[in-house]
Amino acid sequence: LALNKNDISSSIPFIEEITSKLPIHGCFVAQALSADKEMRFIRHHCLHQSVSSTVASFEGYVWKCLQKALSLRGPLLVFPVADMQTYEPLSGLNNFATRDPSLPSKGFINCLTSAGGTAPSTWDDNKAIYAVQGKNETKPALRDVLLMKPGSTVNDVFLTLKNKNVLEGEFVRAEAASKLGEKPKLVSKLDIVGTENRILRIMTTKR
């Protein structure tokens, strides 16, 4: 656990409240780290610059804290699709795939391609805009991905998509697979989502 500003006296009761509710598996004691020491720590690891021995004494705590936090639970990636044969995307996610402010700009895409990478699947290089494929054009497989919390269920994925106005109606059933080409299987809305069912097609009532 990393608690910023924990060396301020007014933060003590809040820290005690937080730490009292934490699980007991491997939490580290909070360490005070001033803004100056924090920036020197970052420079040391990001820019490979030297730091003083005073800052080095804090590195072990911060580094262990970060390593422990990352090792506890990895991210959970879920791929919602409209078809389990073609793995084409849900039409309700088209707006996110073409208009979301997080999408890389034209300049960023030029940097990506210059470095040997590829542009996002919805980028039209000729028109220099984001656009979805036409009705009779092949849709990219697994275009969209949701980052879910570890322990999330199929129903949590459904509710996430519904809250984004991607799906409407009530949950009917769902089928899932772990990889491309695998025969899909029916899954319960209470099933925990993991690598074995990360490709999901959720069917709902029409309304």
Side-chain angles (χ1 to χ4, degrees):
L1 172 67
L3 295 176
N4 195 22
K5 305 288 192 300
N6 70 76
D7 53 332
I8 299 176
S9 59
S10 61
S11 66
I12 294 177
F14 300 103
I15 292 175
E16 291 177 348
E17 180 182 359
I18 292 171
T19 54
S20 67
K21 298 178 181 178
L22 289 172
I24 60 173
H25 51 283
C27 290
F28 284 86
V29 176
Q31 293 294 318
L33 193 64
S34 69
D36 178 62
K37 292 174 182 175
E38 184 178 0
M39 290 310 300
R40 284 197 243 170
F41 170 78
I42 293 172
R43 290 193 191 100
H44 172 67
H45 287 282
C46 296
L47 304 178
H48 306 290
Q49 296 181 0
S50 61
V51 293
S52 67
S53 58
T54 303
V55 178
S57 65
F58 290 96
E59 288 185 18
Y61 294 108
V62 177
W63 206 242
K64 284 182 180 179
C65 180
L66 292 174
Q67 289 179 324
K68 190 64 181 180
L70 292 172
S71 66
L72 287 176
R73 302 295 289 271
L76 177 60
L77 303 180
V78 179
F79 301 87
V81 298
D83 188 283
M84 291 300 285
Q85 300 298 321
T86 62
Y87 307 103
E88 65 181 68
L90 293 165
S91 59
L93 285 169
N94 287 343
N95 192 53
F96 291 95
T98 57
R99 298 183 180 181
D100 194 271
S102 66
L103 291 169
S105 63
K106 180 180 179 181
F108 196 110
I109 291 174
N110 290 337
C111 293
L112 286 175
T113 54
S114 297
T118 57
S121 57
T122 53
W123 176 255
D124 187 326
D125 198 43
N126 295 324
K127 298 179 180 179
I129 59 171
Y130 287 97
V132 296
Q133 289 73 17
K135 184 177 180 180
N136 297 322
E137 293 180 298
T138 302
K139 311 296 190 299
L142 306 184
R143 184 194 68 186
D144 307 306
V145 58
L146 296 177
L147 183 63
M148 302 295 295
K149 294 180 181 179
S152 296
T153 64
V154 172
N155 191 55
D156 291 327
V157 177
F158 162 67
L159 293 176
T160 299
L161 292 171
K162 189 172 182 178
N163 289 337
K164 293 180 179 293
N165 296 318
V166 176
L167 294 178
E168 296 180 345
E170 299 302 319
F171 183 97
V172 175
R173 65 190 181 101
E175 52 185 0
S178 64
K179 59 184 178 181
L180 295 175
E182 182 179 85
K183 184 178 179 180
K185 57 185 178 183
L186 290 177
V187 291
S188 166
K189 66 189 298 185
L190 300 179
D191 284 355
I192 301 295
V193 179
T195 56
E196 70 281 357
N197 55 6
R198 56 190 168 188
I199 303 175
L200 269 175
R201 180 192 176 205
I202 299 176
M203 286 147 277
T204 64
T205 56
K206 302 294 183 181
R207 69 173 191 179

